[in-house]
């Protein structure tokens, strides 16, 4: 029944899709993109309740003034912009490294096929736990420390994972170390990047 359990994320997405039309647009989107000041204030009141949001509105107006001369770029224009290459390379490397967390790595670790669905479920649970934990510590440590620490931990874990996969035929207990390292990788990803 693990496939039924994993399908609950689709149910949550469906519920979000049904209720999304009843929520207002984002206040920054209404002000900066649509230039609808009244709609922005109305959305603020609808999202945050009654109150005086002139400070937040003034901050949005300042941000709008600062970005007035900038052009909104499409995907192709972003790809042609050399100044964003480091960020694009980082994201590409991150996405490629996440491919190691698929079912293939569990098969490579010579795990019995009947426990692979439970291990996949464990990966999802570890991701959820790390995201909840990260959201509680991000204000204390700051994004920079969490990103640097997360990437460093991920690199170390990937080295250990590769080593455990190479030696898993000689030492059977390393198969389960590989699973634990994958859980740790997902946790490090959730805490940092």
């Amino acid at each position: 029944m693990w496939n039924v359990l994993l399908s609950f994320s689709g149910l949550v997405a469906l519920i979000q899709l049904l209720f999304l039309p009843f929520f207002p647009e984002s206040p920054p989107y209404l002000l900066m993109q649509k230039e609808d000041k009244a709609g922005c204030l109305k959305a603020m009141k609808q999202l945050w309740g009654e109150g005086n949001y002139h400070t937040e509105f003034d901050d949005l107006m300042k941000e709008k003034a600062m970005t007035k001369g900038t052009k909104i770029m499409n995907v192709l224009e972003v790809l042609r912009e050399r100044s964003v290459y480091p960020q694009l390379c980082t994201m590409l490397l991150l996405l490629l490294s996440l491919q190691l967390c698929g079912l293939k790595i569990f098969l490579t670790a010579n795990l019995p096929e009947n426990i692979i669905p439970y291990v996949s479920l464990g990966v999802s649970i570890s991701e959820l736990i790390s995201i909840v934990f990260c959201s509680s510590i991000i204000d204390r440590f700051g994004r920079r420390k969490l990103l640097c620490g997360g990437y460093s931990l991920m690199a170390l874990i990937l080295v250990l994972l590769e080593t455990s996969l190479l030696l898993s035929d000689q030492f059977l207990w390393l198969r389960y170390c590989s699973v634990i390292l994958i859980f740790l990788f997902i946790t490090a990803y959730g805490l940092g990047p």
Side-chain angles (χ1 to χ4, degrees):
M1 299 291 291
W2 65 269
N3 52 354
V4 175
L5 185 61
L6 289 178
S7 68
F8 278 117
S9 61
L11 179 66
V12 172
L14 179 65
I15 291 170
Q16 290 176 349
L17 187 62
L18 292 174
F19 286 102
L20 193 59
F22 300 106
F23 289 98
E25 289 286 351
S26 164
Y29 170 77
L30 288 171
L31 183 64
M32 293 182 197
Q33 304 296 323
K34 297 287 186 177
E35 298 186 7
D36 183 6
K37 293 178 183 179
C40 175
L41 287 170
K42 182 181 174 186
M44 285 179 172
K45 287 181 182 178
Q46 190 175 354
L47 289 170
W48 302 327
E50 290 298 321
N52 187 359
Y53 302 111
H54 291 295
T55 305
E56 290 85 358
F57 186 78
D58 290 341
D59 289 343
L60 287 176
M61 289 298 290
K62 289 176 188 174
E63 186 177 342
K64 181 181 177 186
M66 287 180 3
T67 61
K68 188 174 185 176
T70 61
K71 177 187 166 198
I72 297 175
M73 298 171 22
N74 62 29
V75 176
L76 290 175
E77 291 171 333
V78 169
L79 291 175
R80 289 184 196 129
E81 182 65 37
R82 291 194 182 273
S83 65
V84 297
Y85 280 179
Q87 294 89 343
L88 287 174
C89 289
T90 302
M91 291 304 298
L92 183 61
L93 287 173
L94 178 64
L95 291 173
L96 291 174
S97 67
L98 286 178
Q99 297 305 313
L100 291 174
C101 296
L103 294 177
K104 185 175 181 182
I105 199 165
F106 299 135
L107 292 172
T108 305
N110 296 321
L111 291 174
E113 285 191 39
N114 60 341
I115 69 164
I116 289 177
Y118 300 108
V119 175
S120 295
L121 181 62
V123 167
S124 300
I125 290 171
S126 67
E127 183 177 2
L128 177 67
I129 290 170
S130 67
I131 290 171
V132 169
F133 182 67
C134 178
S135 62
S136 65
I137 65 169
I138 196 166
D139 289 332
R140 184 178 306 157
F141 294 106
R143 290 185 188 270
R144 184 178 183 92
K145 285 183 183 177
L146 288 179
L147 279 171
C148 292
Y151 280 126
S152 300
L153 270 174
M154 287 168 60
L156 174 67
I157 291 168
L158 285 176
V159 168
L160 293 173
L161 181 61
E162 183 64 30
T163 305
S164 70
L165 288 174
L166 290 173
L167 298 175
S168 65
D169 289 335
Q170 296 169 354
F171 305 101
L172 295 177
W173 57 272
L174 280 177
R175 296 176 182 179
Y176 300 99
C177 284
S178 299
V179 172
I180 293 169
L181 287 170
I182 291 171
F183 288 170
L184 290 175
F185 181 83
I186 296 296
T187 303
Y189 172 75
L191 289 176

